[in-house]
Amino acid sequence: MKHTSVNKRIFIRALAAMMVAAAFLLGSLKAFAAVGPLVTLESSMDITIIVGYDTEKPQVVFVSPSNKRYEKAEDFDEVIEADMATYYYISSASSGDWTVEYEKGKNKEITIDVLPWHKNISIEKFSFTTQAADDKPLPEINGALTVNYGNNFYKYIISAVKQDADGNITNRIELYQGSGYGSSEETFSVYPELLMDGEYTVQAEVYGEDGTGVEVRDSVIAEDKLTITGNTAQGKDECLEITCNITDGTVDIDFDSSAQECRCDEYAFIVLQGDVHIAEQLYTEENFSEHIIFDPADGDITVQINAKDRDTGYISWSRTFKPVLPISLEIETEELTNAQTAIVSFDAGEGQYPGSIMLGEEKTDIVWNGKNTAQIALHNLETNELVVRVEDNNVCYYVTKTISVDTMPPYIDIYGAESDMVTSEDSVKFVGKTDAEELSCNGEKIDCAENGSFSIVRKMDEDEKEFIFEAADSAGNITKRTIRVTRKSYIEAGKKKEKKGIMPLLITMGIAFLMAALTAGLSILLIKRKEKKGVAVKPVPAVIGSFAVSAAVTLIGVGVWQLIMHLKLVKELTGENFVKLLKNSTMTEVAAKIDDKKNYLTSSIISFSVAAGLIIILIVISIIKKKAQKKKKVQA
């Protein structure tokens, strides 16, 4: 009984164990209903397994080739939960076939992706100190670097850098290269003979590469500043010449280090305006030139040339200046003018600045001081290139201006118009052409076509009206022309009024009476003279002869008067009188004066010629009569 009882207990215990094992097996099959391949790794590497789902996070187990199971959070290097996804990070995953076990649960679909895991590298600590070196002018730099990159190999670079106001690196000079492994502290020591004088910040840059060839980097700048002194000599001033053209907004830089007799293989040329590099170049020759455009609003300009002498160390040539004139100066004369001189106004304050004024090839040295103006004679009807120079702190500033002098007044050509015109209409039309920039009639502006032609109509609201045309060009020259227009009806009314007057009749009758009296008197005198000689006189020839003499005398008088008028006009059209006439009269009026001069001379010549002809006729007739009388006496 006892034996039977023992066997029964053993059987019951075995049955219970089998039931527990079966229950565990059924539970495992239920929890991990899906099992399949995950990835095959050809070599050990860092991986990221991304499990995506649509309802709830599934339970997953990743099995390595060595049957190591990754299912708890502590089994992974890192687990990150994201929106409907979980990221599992495994470092140094062994090579071979990996499998996955998972239960979908309430999810309709899950996704599993395996990607390389690129570990980040980061600098945990970086610092440096400086220590005076024995028998050396510069201090030695001693630094320490701690990097977080697991147990992986990495490299690092130590550099001295320059930063602008915004913290951007503008220049980097590499001082040291090293390498490290794991998270241990790395130390270094470097002598900064590569650095010129100045203030620097020290930068550490680390980088590593995983098995896939992907590189990761990190960099940090130390808090302390590094100051270098005694490693740079100042270059001679005469090696660097700077010319700043304010008008064009350009800087011309000429460099020649032959005067310093240095042994340099390269020259680093840098131009800064504010903190911005506006030019940089590397030269291998000891002399070069640069032409640079600038904006005055961007601040001061610094020109710097650095070179390393093989014997003495670094040499630096530098100059900082404001890209504006050091004095208040302005060329007041317009670019197009009729003035004979250019005016330059300036205010140098209490300082004194050497400089010059150049007009073409003509140069005048000057010292700008105080407040005053300078006048420069310009060449008429030419384009004058005016250059004003001011020197300050070894920088030459230039202001330039091109000035064209034009003293020729514009023309006004009004077709068919004269100084005095007559019209029978209620309006008058003027058609013409000008080369002026502005044209007006009686102060009212006239719009001209591109070629200068114009056409206007003006009302005759008065019986007599003057139309004053005024033309002005860009240089300030002005031409005026006056046209007087009279109504025809007004003139005719005046003539009728004159005919009704008694004075014209009396004058005409007086002249006729005088001519008749002169002719009668001469006739009577001639007849009496002949009668005294006992010669019979015929009245008609005597009267005709007397009239001929009267006409000759009258013509001579008219000729003398016309000659006098001609000489007066000649005087008016020469010398200073002619200049005054040009200033006070229009070209049409001047032309009319010239025509009058010609007319007076022509009329005078005609009058003298007719008078001379009458006299010659009278003399010939007198000679013929005397010969006839002699013949009669001889025959008698």
Side-chain angles (χ1 to χ4, degrees):
M1 293 295 291
K2 186 175 181 180
H3 177 73
T4 303
S5 177
V6 170
N7 289 336
K8 184 178 181 180
R9 286 196 300 270
I10 292 174
F11 175 75
I12 292 172
R13 287 179 180 176
L15 181 61
M18 291 176 63
M19 292 177 66
V20 170
F24 178 78
L25 180 59
L26 290 173
S28 298
L29 291 174
K30 181 180 180 182
F32 301 103
V35 178
L38 177 65
V39 68
T40 299
L41 300 179
E42 295 181 359
S43 62
S44 177
M45 62 182 297
D46 302 332
I47 62 172
T48 302
I49 305 173
I50 306 172
V51 179
Y53 51 90
D54 53 28
T55 302
E56 63 181 5
K57 177 182 177 181
Q59 185 178 359
V60 292
V61 176
F62 308 110
V63 184
S64 71
S66 61
N67 291 322
K68 179 180 178 180
R69 297 174 67 85
Y70 292 81
E71 53 185 325
K72 299 178 183 179
E74 54 267 23
D75 295 334
F76 302 93
D77 288 270
E78 189 174 2
V79 178
I80 297 177
E81 299 291 342
D83 184 21
M84 307 304 281
T86 304
Y87 292 77
Y88 301 91
Y89 296 92
I90 302 175
S91 62
S92 301
S94 57
S95 60
D97 296 328
W98 285 66
T99 58
V100 59
E101 301 173 358
Y102 63 92
E103 169 60 39
K104 292 178 66 174
K106 297 179 181 180
N107 296 295
K108 294 181 180 179
E109 183 181 5
I110 66 171
T111 59
I112 302 177
D113 298 298
V114 181
L115 301 174
W117 175 27
H118 307 301
K119 285 185 179 179
N120 288 329
I121 188 171
S122 62
I123 299 175
E124 298 294 324
K125 182 181 178 183
F126 174 58
S127 61
F128 75 92
T129 59
T130 56
Q131 182 178 2
D134 296 337
D135 301 328
K136 293 182 179 180
L138 302 178
E140 207 167 54
I141 302 173
N142 300 311
L145 178 69
T146 302
V147 178
N148 182 9
Y149 194 44
N151 292 322
N152 299 309
F153 176 81
Y154 65 89
K155 295 181 179 181
Y156 65 90
I157 300 174
I158 306 299
S159 303
V161 300
K162 289 278 190 178
Q163 294 176 289
D164 60 18
D166 298 326
N168 301 313
I169 295 177
T170 59
N171 191 22
R172 178 187 286 108
I173 302 170
E174 186 177 310
L175 300 176
Y176 184 80
Q177 288 189 6
S179 60
Y181 186 81
S183 301
S184 61
E185 184 180 76
E186 296 292 331
T187 60
F188 62 88
S189 180
V190 60
Y191 184 70
E193 61 181 349
L194 295 176
L195 300 181
M196 296 180 59
D197 289 357
E199 188 176 70
Y200 301 85
T201 53
V202 181
Q203 181 191 50
E205 184 178 11
V206 296
Y207 58 96
E209 185 176 302
D210 60 20
T212 65
V214 175
E215 186 177 87
V216 289
R217 288 179 174 269
D218 190 24
S219 64
V220 69
I221 291 179
E223 295 181 357
D224 297 330
K225 299 290 184 180
L226 174 64
T227 302
I228 301 297
T229 57
N231 200 33
T232 305
Q234 182 63 39
K236 294 182 178 180
D237 287 341
E238 57 265 30
C239 295
L240 180 60
E241 293 183 3
I242 299 175
T243 301
C244 183
N245 192 324
I246 302 299
T247 304
D248 295 340
T250 59
V251 175
D252 289 302
I253 301 167
D254 295 306
F255 177 76
D256 187 354
S257 63
S258 58
Q260 192 153 342
E261 297 180 353
C262 53
R263 300 176 63 200
C264 303
D265 298 323
E266 291 182 336
Y267 297 86
F269 171 75
I270 304 169
V271 180
L272 295 170
Q273 189 166 19
D275 295 325
V276 179
H277 285 67
I278 61 175
E280 51 187 356
Q281 186 69 37
L282 194 65
Y283 290 95
T284 57
E285 298 179 355
E286 66 180 4
N287 56 78
F288 55 85
S289 299
E290 282 286 346
H291 182 75
I292 299 169
I293 300 174
F294 70 88
D295 184 351
D298 292 341
D300 294 356
I301 295 177
T302 299
V303 177
Q304 186 169 351
I305 300 168
N306 302 321
K308 194 172 191 307
D309 191 289
R310 282 172 279 175
D311 299 328
T312 61
Y314 281 103
I315 305 175
S316 179
W317 297 265
S318 64
R319 199 163 299 157
T320 300
F321 62 94
K322 295 183 180 296
V324 294
L325 283 173
I327 66 175
S328 175
L329 186 146
E330 181 183 3
I331 302 175
E332 296 182 354
T333 308
E334 298 292 335
E335 292 182 347
L336 180 60
T337 181
N338 60 357
Q340 300 296 310
T341 57
I343 305 298
V344 179
S345 62
F346 63 91
D347 186 355
E350 297 180 357
Q352 292 188 349
Y353 304 86
S356 64
I357 297 176
M358 292 182 62
L359 184 67
E361 300 296 329
E362 303 171 8
K363 180 181 178 182
T364 303
D365 292 328
I366 190 172
V367 176
W368 307 97
N369 58 3
K371 183 177 182 181
N372 208 333
T373 59
Q375 297 186 5
I376 305 95
L378 298 174
H379 301 297
N380 191 18
L381 299 177
E382 290 185 14
T383 299
N384 298 264
E385 295 292 340
L386 186 62
V387 180
V388 181
R389 179 175 62 90
V390 183
E391 294 183 17
D392 182 37
N393 293 328
N394 294 322
V395 177
C396 291
Y397 297 87
Y398 281 90
V399 178
T400 63
K401 199 167 192 178
T402 301
I403 301 175
S404 297
V405 180
D406 179 11
T407 57
M408 184 70 68
Y411 72 85
I412 307 174
D413 188 5
I414 302 176
Y415 308 141
E418 299 177 354
S419 299
D420 292 288
M421 296 176 59
V422 178
T423 182
S424 58
E425 304 293 333
D426 293 333
S427 61
V428 59
K429 184 176 183 180
F430 298 102
V431 179
K433 191 174 183 180
T434 182
D435 62 347
E437 184 177 356
E438 293 184 358
L439 179 65
S440 64
C441 177
N442 291 346
E444 184 178 351
K445 185 179 178 181
I446 299 175
D447 293 328
C448 301
E450 292 185 1
N451 63 353
S453 61
F454 62 90
S455 176
I456 62 170
V457 177
R458 293 293 183 266
K459 291 183 178 181
M460 281 295 299
D461 48 8
E462 300 175 12
D463 290 327
E464 289 184 319
K465 188 172 183 179
E466 286 188 346
F467 295 93
I468 302 174
F469 290 84
E470 183 172 320
D473 61 15
S474 301
N477 299 299
I478 295 175
T479 298
K480 288 185 179 181
R481 181 176 179 183
T482 301
I483 299 177
R484 185 181 297 103
V485 181
T486 308
R487 290 182 190 272
K488 186 176 181 181
S489 58
Y490 179 70
I491 296 175
E492 291 174 349
K495 287 183 177 180
K496 290 180 181 178
K497 187 175 180 180
E498 289 177 0
K499 289 179 180 179
K500 293 179 181 179
I502 193 171
M503 284 303 296
L505 178 60
L506 293 176
I507 293 172
T508 303
M509 291 178 64
I511 293 173
F513 176 78
L514 289 175
M515 286 292 294
L518 181 60
T519 301
L522 288 173
S523 301
I524 293 170
L525 182 62
L526 181 60
I527 292 170
K528 285 184 177 181
R529 186 177 180 186
K530 294 293 184 179
E531 287 178 348
K532 286 182 180 179
K533 293 181 179 181
V535 179
V537 180
K538 297 179 179 180
V540 174
V543 172
I544 292 174
S546 299
F547 179 79
V549 173
S550 300
V553 172
T554 303
L555 289 171
I556 291 172
V558 172
V560 170
W561 173 75
Q562 290 173 336
L563 184 60
I564 292 171
M565 294 300 295
H566 169 75
L567 294 175
K568 285 184 177 180
L569 287 175
V570 169
K571 183 178 180 181
E572 190 174 353
L573 294 173
T574 56
E576 295 181 358
N577 293 329
F578 182 61
V579 175
K580 292 179 181 178
L581 180 64
L582 287 175
K583 290 182 178 180
N584 300 323
S585 306
T586 64
M587 293 305 296
T588 303
E589 291 172 341
V590 173
K593 292 277 188 182
I594 296 172
D595 290 338
D596 289 342
K597 179 173 73 73
K598 294 179 181 178
N599 293 336
Y600 280 128
L601 181 60
T602 302
S603 299
S604 176
I605 293 172
I606 293 172
S607 298
F608 285 130
S609 299
V610 174
L614 289 174
I615 293 172
I616 291 171
I617 291 171
L618 290 173
I619 293 173
V620 170
I621 292 172
S622 177
I623 293 172
I624 292 173
K625 284 183 178 182
K626 287 182 179 181
K627 286 184 178 181
Q629 290 174 358
K630 286 182 179 180
K631 284 182 180 181
K632 287 180 180 181
K633 288 181 180 180
V634 170
Q635 291 175 358

